[in-house]
């Protein structure tokens, strides 16, 4: 029997792993199989990496999917989803592979299961080239509460190279895919019943928060406190708003540190609207030879740049919420920058949901 596969160029745009992750998520929820070729072809270590394979394996467990070519270094992947099953999952990436990147593939379909589930994932919580756990929890998740009640708990941090961090995600769905005869009916229901995204203005800066963290073996050097103090000193000179940055240490297998900063805005100068959150994030990670003060300074300057753009959506959040915007349409967001990563996710999303997005480059507005 002939099965039509959506064709995706894995080397399109920035040609990174987000094409695979986004395709896996949307394929699973729409029940449309796909074929992606030339995966990360332009990269030095081309093909599927370990975390991409775990994305496919995790979704295979969630929906009994068939995946052909899910092997290390493979330039080609075929994926055939089946009915999503509501089940708790325990996943160990076994390296410092990013937990938050794996969730870019797993979270979307897991949000629409038939009953509450829990995902327990071991791997890297704060590693390069991926959202930190604190960014995921404090910037992205508040935007996804439109679709499901989601609680994320950090059980243990995991730094490069050994990882071993652990996160638990509890999901209580508001909309259940199995209650509809097909995806089109489900999609229509979402468009009619989910609160739209309308993030065009920052409005009032209410407060700046942050979490500065480090492995316990460098606590005597006060790394977390120095990161926090550096960031707070720079931000305090720039903004007249409450600033609170906490410091913490944990036992970890690898030495590491980092800081995530969060700017919270609201239309009402005295109250925060939890139903339509306006949050901008920025972060920085420590590394050998990099002073803690530089880490804090880097995160603070990144946040200042994002706030200065006057956009309520930072450049990293914009590409991460694209699939969710496409699910409800008739939404618009203004971002500080429409990155190549963002354009690549638009390309992938539209393969499954049609010509959804329009970009206004001058004003950095994304319309669905």
């Amino acid at each position: 029997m002939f099965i039509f596969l959506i064709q995706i160029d894995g080397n399109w745009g920035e040609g990174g792993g987000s094409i695979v992750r986004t395709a896996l998520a949307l394929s699973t929820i729409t029940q449309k199989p796909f074929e992606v070729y030339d995966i990360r072809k332009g990269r030095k270590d081309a093909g599927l990496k370990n975390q991409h394979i775990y994305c496919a394996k995790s979704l295979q467990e969630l929906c009994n999917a068939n995946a052909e070519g899910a092997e290390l270094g493979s330039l080609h992947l075929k994926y055939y989803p089946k009915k999503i099953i509501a089940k708790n999952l325990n996943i160990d990436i076994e390296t410092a592979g990013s937990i938050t990147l794996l969730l870019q593939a797993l979270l979307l379909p897991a949000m629409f299961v038939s009953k509450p589930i829990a995902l327990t994932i071991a791997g890297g919580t704060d590693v390069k080239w991926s959202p930190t756990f604190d960014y995921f929890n404090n910037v992205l998740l508040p935007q996804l509460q439109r679709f499901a009640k989601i609680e994320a708990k950090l059980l243990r941090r995991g730094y490069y190279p050994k990882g071993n961090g652990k996160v638990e995600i509890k999901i209580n769905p508001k909309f259940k895919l199995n209650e509809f005869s097909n995806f089109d009916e489900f999609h229509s229901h979402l468009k009619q019943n989910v609160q739209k995204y309308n993030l065009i203005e920052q409005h009032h800066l209410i407060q700046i928060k942050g979490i500065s963290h480090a492995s316990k073996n460098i606590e005597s050097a006060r790394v977390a406190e120095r990161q926090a103090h550096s960031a707070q000193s720079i931000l305090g000179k720039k903004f007249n708003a409450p600033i609170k940055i906490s410091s913490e240490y944990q036992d970890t297998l690898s030495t590491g540190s980092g800081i995530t900063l969060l700017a919270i805005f609201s239309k009402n100068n005295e109250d925060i609207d939890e139903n339509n959150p306006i949050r901008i994030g920025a972060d920085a990670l420590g590394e050998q030879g990099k002073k803690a003060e530089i880490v804090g300074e880097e995160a603070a300057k990144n946040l200042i740049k994002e706030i200065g753009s006057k956009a309520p959506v930072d450049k990293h959040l914009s590409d991460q919420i694209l699939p969710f915007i496409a699910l409800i349409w008739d939404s618009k967001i203004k971002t500080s920058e429409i990155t190549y990563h963002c354009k690549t996710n638009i390309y992938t999303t539209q393969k499954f949901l049609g010509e959804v997005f329009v970009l206004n480059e001058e004003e950095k507005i994304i319309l669905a």
Side-chain angles (χ1 to χ4, degrees):
M1 184 176 109
F2 175 77
I3 299 177
F4 173 76
L5 298 175
I6 293 173
Q7 297 296 304
I8 301 173
D9 181 357
N11 197 37
W12 196 94
E14 56 93 29
S18 66
I19 293 176
V20 175
R21 293 188 296 271
T22 303
L24 285 168
L26 288 168
S27 174
T28 303
I29 191 69
T30 63
Q31 296 290 284
K32 297 176 182 178
F34 72 90
E35 177 179 20
V36 58
Y37 54 90
D38 290 343
I39 298 170
R40 304 177 68 253
K41 185 179 179 180
R43 304 298 177 96
K44 183 179 179 181
D45 52 344
L48 293 174
K49 297 182 73 174
N50 191 59
Q51 57 108 330
H52 305 128
I53 295 169
Y54 273 93
C55 287
K57 286 183 176 180
S58 300
L59 287 169
Q60 282 180 287
E61 191 171 348
L62 187 69
C63 70
N64 290 322
N66 293 323
E68 299 175 10
E71 301 170 357
L72 196 63
S74 174
L75 296 173
H76 194 269
L77 176 69
K78 290 183 179 180
Y79 180 79
Y80 305 87
K82 295 181 182 178
K83 185 177 179 181
I84 299 173
I85 305 166
K87 60 188 299 188
N88 296 334
L89 297 181
N90 285 280
I91 305 160
D92 187 350
I93 302 175
E94 298 179 353
T95 66
S98 171
I99 291 173
T100 57
L101 290 186
L102 185 147
L103 283 166
Q104 287 181 2
L106 184 58
L107 186 60
L108 187 150
M111 287 166 55
F112 302 111
V113 293
S114 59
K115 63 180 181 180
I117 62 170
L119 311 174
T120 304
I121 309 171
T125 60
D126 300 87
V127 293
K128 279 187 174 182
W129 317 120
S130 66
T132 63
F133 170 79
D134 297 312
Y135 181 96
F136 168 83
N137 192 30
N138 293 288
V139 180
L140 177 61
L141 277 196
Q143 297 294 347
L144 305 188
Q145 303 293 343
R146 293 166 167 82
F147 300 92
K149 182 180 179 182
I150 309 168
E151 297 178 15
K153 184 177 182 180
L154 177 68
L155 303 179
R156 182 174 60 241
R157 290 198 188 271
Y159 302 112
Y160 180 84
K162 294 184 179 179
N164 197 46
K166 199 170 188 179
V167 168
E168 183 181 67
I169 312 290
K170 292 184 178 179
I171 303 169
N172 191 347
K174 296 178 183 177
F175 306 95
K176 302 172 183 179
L177 181 59
N178 73 320
E179 294 180 350
F180 299 85
S181 59
N182 55 53
F183 173 75
D184 288 339
E185 285 187 10
F186 173 70
H187 192 193
S188 178
H189 183 76
L190 289 181
K191 288 189 286 185
Q192 295 173 21
N193 292 279
V194 178
Q195 180 192 17
K196 311 301 181 187
Y197 289 96
N198 187 16
L199 297 168
I200 298 298
E201 297 180 58
Q202 283 183 357
H203 297 291
H204 303 286
L205 177 61
I206 301 297
Q207 59 180 295
I208 295 174
K209 300 171 67 176
I211 302 171
S212 180
H213 54 87
S215 49
K216 204 166 185 64
N217 65 324
I218 53 176
E219 184 174 8
S220 61
R222 295 181 56 80
V223 169
E225 290 86 353
R226 288 161 53 203
Q227 290 174 163
H229 182 267
S230 175
Q232 181 141 359
S233 176
I234 293 169
L235 293 169
K237 294 174 184 177
K238 189 74 175 177
F239 303 109
N240 184 24
I243 303 172
K244 183 177 181 180
I245 305 173
S246 63
S247 301
E248 62 179 47
Y249 294 88
Q250 288 191 10
D251 284 316
T252 58
L253 293 186
S254 295
T255 300
S257 74
I259 181 171
T260 298
L261 301 173
L262 172 70
I264 301 175
F265 300 83
S266 182
K267 291 182 180 181
N268 187 327
N269 199 23
E270 298 180 353
D271 192 23
I272 297 172
D273 184 359
E274 298 294 345
N275 293 319
N276 191 38
I278 305 172
R279 298 183 169 202
I280 290 173
D283 53 58
L285 295 176
E287 56 186 76
Q288 189 172 4
K290 187 177 182 180
K291 290 185 177 180
E293 289 77 11
I294 299 299
V295 178
E297 177 185 351
E298 181 182 318
K301 287 184 174 179
N302 286 340
L303 188 67
I304 289 170
K305 184 177 180 181
E306 291 290 348
I307 294 173
S309 74
K310 301 300 181 184
V313 177
D314 66 64
K315 65 181 181 180
H316 300 297
L317 178 61
S318 59
D319 65 74
Q320 293 178 52
I321 63 172
L322 285 173
F324 301 94
I325 295 174
L327 283 175
I328 56 179
W329 293 9
D330 193 25
S331 294
K332 53 187 175 181
I333 66 170
K334 182 176 182 180
T335 180
S336 59
E337 181 183 346
I338 296 176
T339 63
Y340 284 117
H341 206 125
C342 182
K343 292 178 181 178
T344 302
N345 275 5
I346 287 175
Y347 162 79
T348 310
T349 300
Q350 293 190 152
K351 286 287 185 176
F352 294 90
L353 297 176
E355 296 297 317
V356 179
F357 296 107
V358 176
L359 302 183
N360 180 327
E361 285 285 353
E362 185 177 346
E363 297 186 24
K364 306 296 188 300
I365 295 177
I366 301 173
L367 306 173

